[in-house]
Amino acid sequence: MLVGALSAASVALVALVASTVIVVNTPQEEPPTGGTDLTAFYDSALHARPHPAEVDIVDHPLYDVAMPEPVDCELPELRTGSDDSWEAFANEAGTCLNDLWAPVMDELGLDPDLPEITVTNDALATDTDDSFTLAYYESDRGLITVVLPSVRQVGEQIPDDHEAHVWLALMGHEYAHHVQYATGILGISHDLRRRAGSEADELDTLRRTELQAECMAGVGLRGLTDPDGDALDVVNEHFNGGGDLDTHGSAANRAFWLESGYTSPTVGGCNTYEASDRDVT
């Protein structure tokens, strides 16, 4: 799963971090009425569909839009032990992501409400010692929530000079679910999962949704960090370095899609719904 020189303890640690990303990267939803409980928490209601036209998640006009140009983003120094510092960091990251994605929304003729961002010291009741939530997006509330006890636990294993990039990618992934919601993609994905005839089909749709969000996290990294820096490598090292996951894809594919968002000329680089099966396993 990882480089063979790593000890068994290190392998277990990285796998744990990967499993937390699984829960982290999943927007909240009511449990599906059929199939397998994937411990994914979504809200499926599209209380205000942002686009009057029928949505095609394979051939969506979003994919023709050029990747947004970088924007200046001066994130405040993150003192991970401080609730106030975490809230300031998360909200400034959200402001930067709003600015980054605004031209894309304008190109599509959309004017969605901007998501609110908050932090909490309360873990989800469904969290366990092996799999816990770092952050989540609720479409019905337009809210991204960062779970502070979880991010602090994971952050203990991340070098201080890497944390800003890692947590910016986390915010970028959750913001990507907002982009999916605003464009109608998230609602169609939910419908496909509910109508899935098998667990395998349900998991396939979920993986495509989550890997697209990972790709859009790459868009955020490219647009908000130094293009000559090491943000991409840092995030892949800590979040996509090991641990193949049925719901979020293999480590190799997560890294592939993050890099696709970082390097592609159009948002079509994040069209996971048209990708071959081998790229979304």
Side-chain angles (χ1 to χ4, degrees):
M1 181 166 61
L2 293 175
V3 176
L6 292 178
S7 67
S10 296
V11 171
L13 173 61
V14 176
L16 171 61
V17 173
S19 71
T20 66
V21 174
I22 251 310
V23 185
V24 169
N25 290 348
T26 307
Q28 292 202 335
E29 176 191 58
E30 297 175 2
T33 56
T36 298
D37 180 4
L38 303 174
T39 65
F41 301 93
Y42 288 81
D43 183 279
S44 60
L46 285 174
H47 62 277
R49 290 187 179 272
H51 200 293
E54 182 177 348
V55 174
D56 185 337
I57 61 175
V58 174
D59 186 21
H60 195 290
L62 171 66
Y63 305 137
D64 294 327
V65 179
M67 285 292 186
E69 293 295 324
V71 300
D72 291 333
C73 183
E74 296 295 332
L75 293 173
E77 180 182 359
L78 177 58
R79 292 174 285 107
T80 57
S82 165
D83 291 8
D84 290 342
S85 178
W86 244 114
E87 187 164 19
F89 177 91
N91 274 279
E92 185 59 28
T95 297
C96 292
L97 288 163
N98 287 337
D99 293 343
L100 180 70
W101 283 99
V104 177
M105 296 295 106
D106 289 344
E107 181 72 17
L108 295 173
L110 301 176
D111 186 23
D113 292 335
L114 299 178
E116 296 183 23
I117 296 174
T118 189
V119 300
T120 182
N121 277 296
D122 297 326
L124 295 183
T126 52
D127 284 352
T128 68
D129 290 340
D130 296 326
S131 180
F132 46 88
T133 305
L134 298 178
Y136 54 91
Y137 170 67
E138 298 172 275
S139 62
D140 62 329
R141 300 176 65 189
L143 183 66
I144 295 170
T145 302
V146 179
V147 183
L148 295 181
S150 298
V151 296
R152 284 172 178 150
Q153 181 174 342
V154 173
E156 292 176 358
Q157 315 304 325
I158 301 173
D160 291 346
D161 59 344
H162 287 182
E163 286 206 76
H165 288 334
V166 169
W167 300 130
L168 178 60
L170 172 67
M171 298 304 299
H173 185 109
E174 298 308 323
Y175 197 96
H177 289 308
H178 171 69
V179 173
Q180 290 173 324
Y181 171 70
T183 55
I185 290 173
L186 191 60
I188 299 301
S189 171
H190 291 168
D191 291 343
L192 289 172
R193 287 186 58 215
R194 281 193 297 270
R195 297 199 305 265
S198 67
E199 177 185 349
D201 288 345
E202 186 179 357
L203 283 169
D204 178 76
T205 299
L206 179 56
R207 281 195 301 271
R208 290 175 189 272
T209 302
E210 292 300 334
L211 287 168
Q212 182 174 81
E214 191 69 1
C215 182
M216 291 179 177
V219 176
L221 284 179
R222 179 173 86 165
L224 303 179
T225 65
D226 179 0
D228 297 321
D230 60 355
L232 181 65
D233 292 337
V234 164
V235 175
N236 272 331
E237 175 186 354
H238 294 292
F239 273 169
N240 297 328
D244 296 342
L245 303 163
D246 287 342
T247 52
H248 285 60
S250 67
N253 280 338
R254 295 197 307 272
F256 168 81
W257 286 107
L258 186 74
E259 183 172 358
S260 184
Y262 196 89
T263 60
S264 296
T266 70
V267 186
C270 293
N271 187 359
T272 55
Y273 297 101
E274 192 176 39
S276 65
D277 290 345
R278 69 175 180 274
D279 289 333
V280 293
T281 55

